[in-house]
């Protein structure tokens, strides 16, 4: 399989005449393109399916499967319909050329061709293809950022809404009012912090890998989680319990980022195991690593769903306890964040019933 040209692109040249293949491929390689060749329609289709080029230079008239049949087949296949095709042809029949454009060719070059003309037409269409690819990647990256922001803002905003509803409905004792007010203030501050972080990363202020680095004290993280979410569990008649580790339980990750990951695990427990206590505990992992273990006594996750658990847009059950607010991105984003930090996230059935998620992270460098 040929490698894709880093700048000038990858071109597949198709012609049943070996001399033509040699001349065209040599000319294109000198201009800096990555070039592969095929001497028949069947061979061309096989190579395109294995490694789609940025441009297909296709002989119009070939024995067996001609260029029109190749193009018709490509246009019918998912993922290949937008491949730019330039016909190489010795014919200058007007009807035949019109048929080529109607079939989906973007251009044609007549044989014998002038090298300057061939290079000009190839350069134009490869440039358009690579520009379109860059725009598509940009759109995908923007959409991924939108998904990330929308997902991560839900947790602090849900905490704001919970505390505000309690205060509006006179649902707490007077001595607890400051705690609910503090929850509102801290959650709103976190939401603004996430937005600033995303905007800085998007504008080039920091790369993703750099943005997640820091030193997190795991005991402080789980105590913060208990402070933030303890009241929500209490309101359901259950508890959020934490078990501290040693004072040296440190992870090489930004504490705010780790809190985001843990909040995803907490909100999943609130949705899918609402009547169960939740336990966070700190443990030693493999050498050089520490672990946060999150356990509940809910229904657990069926074996078949465990295979899909960390894929984007996958929910833990067919029902949506979040009433349309669950995107199915939480576990996928959490695992990707941890992998970027050099760690991991996996699921285990809890002994005696329930779910057990294990967060493993490297310790800070010495």
């Amino acid at each position: 399989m040929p490698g894709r040209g880093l700048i000038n692109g990858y071109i597949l040249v198709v012609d049943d005449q070996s001399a033509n293949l040699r001349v065209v491929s040599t000319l294109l390689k000198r201009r800096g393109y990555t070039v592969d060749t095929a001497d028949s329609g069947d061979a061309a289709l096989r190579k395109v399916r294995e490694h789609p080029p940025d441009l297909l230079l296709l002989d119009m008239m070939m024995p067996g499967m001609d260029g029109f049949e190749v193009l018709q087949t490509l246009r019918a296949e998912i993922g290949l319909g937008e491949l730019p095709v330039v016909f190489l042809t010795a014919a200058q029949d007007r009807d035949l050329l019109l048929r080529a454009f109607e079939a989906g060719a973007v251009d044609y070059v007549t044989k014998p061709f002038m090298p300057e003309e061939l290079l000009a037409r190839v350069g134009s269409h490869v440039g358009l293809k690579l520009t379109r690819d860059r725009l598509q990647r940009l759109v995908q990256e923007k959409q991924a950022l939108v998904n990330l922001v929308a997902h991560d803002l839900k947790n602090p905003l849900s905490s704001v809404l919970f505390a505000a509803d309690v205060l509006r409905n006179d649902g707490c004792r007077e001595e607890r009012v400051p705690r609910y007010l503090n929850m509102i203030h801290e959650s709103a501050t976190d939401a603004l912090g996430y937005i600033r972080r995303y905007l800085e990363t998007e504008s080039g202020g920091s790369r993703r890998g750099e943005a997640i680095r820091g030193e997190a004290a795991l005991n402080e993280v789980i105590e913060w989680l208990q402070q933030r979410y303890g009241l929500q569990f209490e309101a359901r008649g259950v508890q959020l319990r934490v078990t501290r580790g040693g004072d040296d339980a440190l992870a090489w990750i930004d504490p705010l980022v780790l809190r985001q990951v843990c909040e995803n695990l907490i909100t999943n427990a609130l949705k899918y195991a609402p009547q169960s206590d939740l336990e966070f505990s700190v443990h030693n992992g493999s050498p050089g690593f520490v672990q946060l273990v999150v356990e509940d006594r809910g229904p657990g996750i069926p074996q078949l769903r465990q295979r899909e658990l960390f894929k984007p847009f996958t929910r833990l059950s067919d029902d949506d306890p979040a009433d349309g607010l669950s995107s199915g991105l939480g576990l996928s984003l959490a695992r990707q964040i941890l992998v970027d930090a050099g760690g991991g996230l996996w699921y285990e059935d809890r002994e005696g019933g329930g779910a057990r998620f294990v967060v493993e992270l490297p310790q800070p460098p010495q």
Side-chain angles (χ1 to χ4, degrees):
M1 179 188 300
R4 181 180 295 275
L6 295 178
I7 298 176
N8 290 339
Y10 159 47
I11 301 171
L12 178 62
V13 183
V14 186
D15 199 306
D16 63 309
Q17 299 294 320
S18 59
N20 290 339
L21 290 177
R22 185 169 57 254
V23 170
V24 174
S25 60
T26 299
L27 181 64
L28 294 173
K29 288 178 181 178
R30 287 176 179 171
R31 186 54 65 94
Y33 295 104
T34 298
V35 182
D36 195 13
T37 61
D39 60 6
S40 69
D42 288 328
L45 289 175
R46 185 170 59 253
K47 291 193 175 187
V48 168
R49 288 164 181 154
E50 291 174 354
H51 185 53
D54 296 309
L55 180 70
L56 185 63
L57 276 177
L58 180 61
D59 189 16
M60 185 181 290
M61 298 300 178
M62 295 183 293
M65 179 180 285
D66 65 17
F68 290 103
E69 293 177 87
V70 172
L71 185 51
Q72 183 180 19
T73 303
L74 291 176
R75 292 296 180 252
E77 295 194 17
I78 297 175
L80 300 177
E82 298 299 318
L83 173 63
V85 175
V86 173
F87 269 136
L88 296 172
T89 176
Q92 299 198 37
D93 182 274
R94 174 183 171 85
D95 291 337
L96 198 60
L97 295 177
L98 286 176
R99 181 186 168 197
F101 285 116
E102 289 172 355
V106 297
D107 208 343
Y108 71 93
V109 178
T110 57
K111 297 186 287 187
F113 56 82
M114 296 179 59
E116 295 82 2
E117 178 188 6
L118 176 66
L119 291 173
R121 292 179 185 272
V122 166
S124 174
H125 293 295
V126 171
L128 288 172
K129 167 65 164 52
L130 295 180
T131 298
R132 185 173 70 243
D133 289 349
R134 285 194 293 271
L135 290 174
Q136 288 176 344
R137 286 194 297 271
L138 182 61
V139 169
Q140 292 169 353
E141 289 170 1
K142 293 288 186 181
Q143 186 59 52
L145 180 66
V146 169
N147 291 339
L148 184 63
V149 172
H151 181 273
D152 283 348
L153 286 180
K154 282 192 301 184
N155 289 331
L157 292 179
S158 294
S159 294
V160 169
L161 186 60
F162 166 76
D165 281 345
V166 170
L167 294 175
R168 285 180 61 195
N169 297 320
D170 297 324
C172 70
R173 298 191 297 273
E174 184 175 351
E175 64 271 18
R176 288 197 170 183
V177 169
R179 187 173 174 185
Y180 282 103
L181 291 174
N182 189 58
M183 180 186 296
I184 291 173
H185 181 270
E186 285 190 353
S187 298
T189 300
D190 285 348
L192 289 173
Y194 295 155
I195 292 172
R196 290 192 187 99
R197 179 186 295 264
Y198 297 136
L199 291 177
E200 288 172 0
T201 303
E202 181 68 5
S203 64
S206 60
R207 294 193 298 273
R208 184 176 183 182
E210 295 172 347
I212 64 175
R213 292 303 179 189
E215 187 172 284
L218 300 192
N219 292 331
E220 293 178 6
V221 170
I222 62 174
E223 286 169 5
W224 178 90
L225 292 168
Q226 188 177 48
Q227 180 72 19
R228 170 63 61 85
Y229 287 94
L231 291 174
Q232 295 186 46
F233 278 84
E234 186 179 310
R236 294 169 180 254
V238 293
Q239 290 186 323
L240 173 59
R241 300 194 182 99
V242 300
T243 302
R244 295 169 55 96
D247 293 336
D248 59 346
L250 302 175
W252 187 229
I253 189 172
D254 186 306
L256 179 60
V257 173
L258 181 56
R259 279 163 38 182
Q260 284 180 265
V261 169
C262 293
E263 283 186 286
N264 284 329
L265 298 176
I266 285 179
T267 54
N268 272 337
L270 287 169
K271 286 185 292 189
Y272 297 103
Q275 304 306 314
S276 169
D277 291 346
L278 188 67
E279 300 178 26
F280 267 82
S281 54
V282 178
H283 303 268
N284 292 324
S286 52
F289 287 81
V290 290
Q291 292 182 348
L292 272 176
V293 177
V294 187
E295 301 173 291
D296 65 51
R297 288 296 184 190
I301 300 171
Q303 190 71 32
L304 289 177
R305 287 199 177 272
Q306 292 179 23
R307 303 172 187 171
E308 309 292 320
L309 193 56
F310 296 99
K311 291 184 178 180
F313 306 107
T314 297
R315 295 193 177 98
L316 303 186
S317 72
D318 292 326
D319 299 326
D320 180 11
D323 194 23
L325 291 178
S326 176
S327 64
L329 282 170
L331 291 177
S332 172
L333 291 172
R335 170 176 270 186
Q336 187 58 56
I337 288 170
L338 294 170
V339 168
D340 288 344
L345 170 65
W346 64 89
Y347 170 83
E348 301 171 352
D349 289 322
R350 188 179 184 186
E351 186 175 350
R356 187 174 193 263
F357 287 91
V358 181
V359 174
E360 186 167 71
L361 284 163
Q363 294 175 317
Q366 300 297 320

